[in-house]
Structure formats: C-alpha cells, structure tokens
Amino acid sequence: MAYKISDECISCGACAAQCPVSAISEGDSKYVIDADACIECGACADTCPVGAPAQA
Ligand code: SF4
Ligand code: SF4
C-alpha cells in the first residue's frame, strides 16, 4: 500500500525533498502523496517531524 499523509501534517515540506520519485506535493491544507507514484520506501515517514506519513 502507498503511504498517505495524515492531518497531523504541518506543511514543512521536508518529506517532499526526500521522496526519490517526487510523489509528494503541497496540497491545500497539507502535503499529499500521489499513490500511483509512491514506491513505499518509507523515506517520508522517517523524515517527518510529526509522524504524519503512514502506510494506508
Ligand atoms: Fe515518496 Fe517513499 Fe514516501 Fe512513497 S514512501 S511518498 S516513495 S518518500
Ligand atoms: Fe507534512 Fe511531515 Fe511532510 Fe512536513 S515532513 S510536509 S509535516 S508530512
């Protein structure tokens, strides 16, 4: 399953810079992951200061 970003996201942008396939972009109220592009590497979850990305 692809990773998904929860509402805990504070839009810091750290995860987007770490994603190897550029699957993360800034959304209206939080960052969002393109589930079709995500290769489930876990880098976003490792980088996030608030633990927002998790496997859906
Ligand atoms: Fe990108 Fe990896 Fe996070 Fe998927 S799990 S969004 S590929 S950093
Ligand atoms: Fe949101 Fe975490 Fe990504 Fe920062 S690293 S934009 S808080 S999901």
Side-chain angles (χ1 to χ4, degrees):
M1 293 290 284
Y3 276 66
K4 196 171 191 301
I5 294 173
S6 77
D7 291 343
E8 299 299 310
C9 174
I10 56 173
S11 295
C12 72
C15 57
Q18 294 299 319
C19 182
V21 294
S22 299
I24 309 176
S25 59
E26 188 171 10
D28 289 338
S29 61
K30 63 180 182 179
Y31 272 61
V32 292
I33 293 172
D34 177 348
D36 291 332
C38 176
I39 57 171
E40 302 163 35
C41 70
C44 52
D46 290 343
T47 301
C48 182
V50 296
Q55 269 184 311

